[in-house]
Amino acid sequence: MTTDLSIGLDLGSTAIKMVVTDGEEIVHRQCVPTAPGQEILARRMIDKTMSTLSLKPEQIKGIASTGYGKKLFAEASSNIDEISANALGLFKLSGRSARTIINIGGQDLKVLSLSDSGRIVDFKMNDKCAAGTGRFFELVARLLDTPLEKFGQLSAAEAPVLELNNTCVVFAESEIVSLLARGESKEAIIKALHASVARRVAGMVHSKISDGDVYLDGGPAQNQGLREALEDELMLEVKVLPEPQFTVAYGAALTLFN
Ligand code: ADP
């Protein structure tokens, strides 16, 4: 194993993500749910990784933390804001082709526009409303008693077209309960959920799309049905990297190679 590695730690609102990189490849990754005592959880993740990969401390250049809890990890050699980390990480992993990033996290929704050198030229964030964020997906998963991992597959099935009209989570919750009581299928409700989140994203994105590739990242990007609904709504291709939840942690780790 090379001696030139760094660790990126994304202390997110919903999940803690950690990557080890040599500045190019992600050589190791781990994700655990956020819980009280984030700094202890993060330390455990690092210790476990060091032992799994048989790494010695001198092989690690440093630990860069990001995410809303970045300051909680006092051992970090540096902190970086999550927007810069997202742009850095995704731009590099996309082979420098990304010009728009739609990041859906546990509690917010961000749209970044990048220049052809990867500089952030525009930025929009919605963190006031839970609809359209990972928490909303988690709530619907609970209501439908269906794991999020199955949402992509279920929304690919034929189902009647339904509308979710409420854009506020509290009202959307009672709307979904009524749809279930009316006998509507999970498949139809999940499709309607994806379409409603896609409309919300499109409201933020339309004026921001520049030429070049559009990427979706963050945990909900693992849901293929959401990506397809976004493509339908935006009428363009939306790309997703193989591990979309780790781009921010990777971007943080990259800062230690500059
Ligand atoms: P944060 O950085 O704010 O903690 P993440 O980018 O880690 O947020 O995304 C967390 C969200 O990802 C969760 O709220 C959940 O909705 C979603 N998610 C996590 N795993 C999956 C999965 N396998 N399929 C679809 N969505 C997922």
Side-chain angles (χ1 to χ4, degrees):
M1 181 75 67
T2 167
T3 53
D4 217 8
L5 298 170
S6 76
I7 293 177
L9 201 53
D10 175 9
L11 295 140
S13 64
T14 309
I16 305 175
K17 282 79 62 182
M18 190 208 71
V19 304
V20 181
T21 179
D22 56 7
E24 294 295 331
E25 306 292 322
I26 295 177
V27 296
H28 189 77
R29 67 179 86 76
Q30 211 191 332
C31 174
V32 302
T34 298
Q38 286 192 65
E39 67 289 3
I40 299 165
L41 288 175
R43 184 69 251 172
R44 276 196 207 132
M45 287 167 90
I46 293 169
D47 289 346
K48 185 162 173 246
T49 297
M50 299 288 287
S51 108
T52 307
L53 300 182
S54 307
L55 292 174
K56 298 187 189 73
E58 56 273 23
Q59 291 178 273
I60 306 293
K61 292 159 87 70
I63 303 168
S65 68
T66 186
Y68 98 105
K70 59 184 173 290
K71 296 266 167 62
L72 295 174
F73 192 69
E75 290 174 58
S77 24
S78 60
N79 301 144
I80 174 168
D81 73 89
E82 51 268 43
I83 296 149
S84 306
N86 197 352
L88 263 173
L90 196 133
F91 189 67
K92 178 142 184 157
L93 290 169
S94 73
R96 303 174 65 87
S97 75
R99 296 293 177 274
T100 303
I101 305 174
I102 301 164
N103 176 282
I104 306 187
Q107 293 188 352
D108 60 23
L109 174 58
K110 306 185 193 82
V111 179
L112 282 69
S113 302
L114 306 182
S115 70
D116 55 11
S117 62
R119 198 168 51 83
I120 299 168
V121 289
D122 207 346
F123 167 66
K124 220 172 174 185
M125 170 150 90
N126 178 358
D127 60 354
K128 301 280 179 284
C129 169
T133 70
R135 287 266 189 240
F136 187 33
F137 282 100
E138 289 179 25
L139 170 84
V140 179
R142 275 197 299 277
L143 288 174
L144 301 184
D145 195 20
T146 302
L148 275 172
E149 289 76 11
K150 289 207 167 155
F151 274 36
Q153 183 198 331
L154 288 172
S155 66
E158 283 298 316
V161 177
L162 295 180
E163 285 263 328
L164 266 188
N165 296 311
N166 282 298
T167 49
C168 168
V169 170
V170 180
F171 295 116
E173 178 172 4
S174 47
E175 200 179 356
I176 291 167
V177 171
S178 310
L179 290 171
L180 283 170
R182 208 169 79 188
E184 299 293 355
S185 65
K186 288 181 180 182
E187 287 83 350
I189 294 171
I190 292 169
K191 262 186 201 291
L193 166 74
H194 292 162
S196 85
V197 173
R199 279 196 300 277
R200 177 166 285 267
V201 173
M204 287 173 70
V205 166
H206 265 316
S207 58
K208 304 265 172 251
I209 297 259
S210 40
D211 289 340
D213 290 347
V214 178
Y215 277 84
L216 173 66
D217 72 357
Q222 295 168 90
N223 176 347
Q224 168 77 1
L226 174 63
R227 183 178 73 75
E228 284 163 11
L230 265 172
E231 290 189 326
D232 290 345
E233 188 64 35
L234 298 173
M235 290 187 293
L236 45 78
E237 186 189 2
V238 175
K239 299 188 173 190
V240 178
L241 292 163
E243 295 288 349
Q245 205 170 3
F246 291 91
T247 45
V248 178
Y250 174 69
L254 284 183
T255 59
L256 296 170
F257 286 89
N258 293 334

